[in-house]
Amino acid sequence: MASDKEPTVIKKYANRRLYHTGTSSYVTLEDLAGLVRNGEDFVVYDAKSGEDITRSVLAQIIFDEESKDGQNLLPIAFLRQLIRFYGDSMQALVPRYLEFSMDSLTKDQGQFREQMTKAFSGGALGGGAMDALQAQTRANMAIFTEAFRMFNPFAAAAAAKAQEEASAAAPAKGDDLGDLKRELSEMRDRLDKLAKTK
């Protein structure tokens, strides 16, 4: 949540205590998680070196949240894939993609919540829920692909060509794979049309 207000400064001392300079009081990671949930931006500095350690503190908050029973937000497959991106040629692209996807999800959360409520009504995970998730993912991917194409049209074209060749070389595995290939092809066509109109 963006704000015109300057972020609150939190200082972390050698004894691992966190000091909120706005309220002149010590806070916990749980308190900082509450600030994030309330949309308050903050930065965390090491009190001795002055180094910005905001990323590691936010990562620690996520780790603590993931450790709580029933609080798991990050699927294991996602975490594994994320680890695989470290040191990969795509590493520089991943943060922008994740930030873009989360921004898009945040903007569309009202509509998405309504779709999920309808899909999950009755307590069972129905096909409607999966359709809503897939539709949201496809929409995010289409927007990101278009943005990436505009940012670097040559790399996007090469990636699309490589994907096309891989799809053509892979043997068809049932109707689901055929449907997915068809949807991917349709998405590419729509993106090509969008690119030509700009």
Side-chain angles (χ1 to χ4, degrees):
M1 189 177 289
S3 172
D4 293 337
K5 184 179 154 188
E6 286 292 315
T8 301
V9 173
I10 307 292
K11 292 183 179 180
K12 185 173 185 181
Y13 288 92
N15 62 4
R16 304 183 71 159
R17 294 188 75 187
L18 298 161
Y19 184 76
H20 189 301
T21 60
T23 61
S24 300
S25 61
Y26 287 100
V27 292
T28 64
L29 288 175
E30 186 63 37
D31 294 329
L32 294 182
L35 293 177
V36 172
R37 287 185 192 100
N38 292 330
E40 185 174 336
D41 288 335
F42 60 83
V43 290
V44 184
Y45 294 108
D46 182 283
K48 186 175 181 181
S49 69
E51 178 187 0
D52 184 342
I53 57 171
T54 307
R55 182 184 309 274
S56 64
V57 170
L58 292 173
Q60 183 63 46
I61 292 170
I62 292 170
F63 177 78
D64 289 352
E65 291 293 326
E66 286 289 314
S67 299
K68 295 177 183 175
D69 287 337
Q71 290 287 87
N72 305 109
L73 189 63
L74 303 172
I76 291 173
F78 171 81
L79 293 171
R80 285 187 175 131
Q81 188 60 50
L82 196 59
I83 291 167
R84 287 183 190 116
F85 277 119
Y86 284 99
D88 187 89
S89 61
M90 296 291 286
Q91 181 175 341
L93 184 62
V94 173
R96 283 180 265 173
Y97 173 73
L98 293 176
E99 188 173 9
F100 180 83
S101 295
M102 289 304 292
D103 284 347
S104 180
L105 180 61
T106 301
K107 288 175 188 169
D108 297 335
Q109 68 181 328
Q111 179 184 358
F112 191 63
R113 280 187 180 142
E114 185 180 314
Q115 290 172 346
M116 294 305 288
T117 301
K118 289 177 185 175
F120 284 109
S121 60
L125 175 62
M130 292 310 292
D131 291 344
L133 286 170
Q134 288 172 350
Q136 184 67 39
T137 302
R138 278 194 293 270
N140 287 351
M141 195 60 197
I143 293 168
F144 180 74
T145 302
E146 177 61 20
F148 182 60
R149 184 187 307 255
M150 290 167 50
F151 174 71
N152 189 346
F154 301 111
K161 184 176 181 184
Q163 177 122 15
E164 216 171 87
E165 289 171 357
S167 295
K173 292 183 182 176
D175 292 334
D176 290 343
L177 186 57
D179 290 343
L180 189 57
K181 286 181 182 179
R182 181 179 39 71
E183 288 177 15
L184 185 60
S185 177
E186 289 171 1
M187 188 184 319
R188 252 191 240 117
D189 291 342
R190 286 194 297 265
L191 288 172
D192 287 339
K193 287 177 186 172
L194 278 172
K196 289 176 185 174
T197 59
K198 292 189 183 279

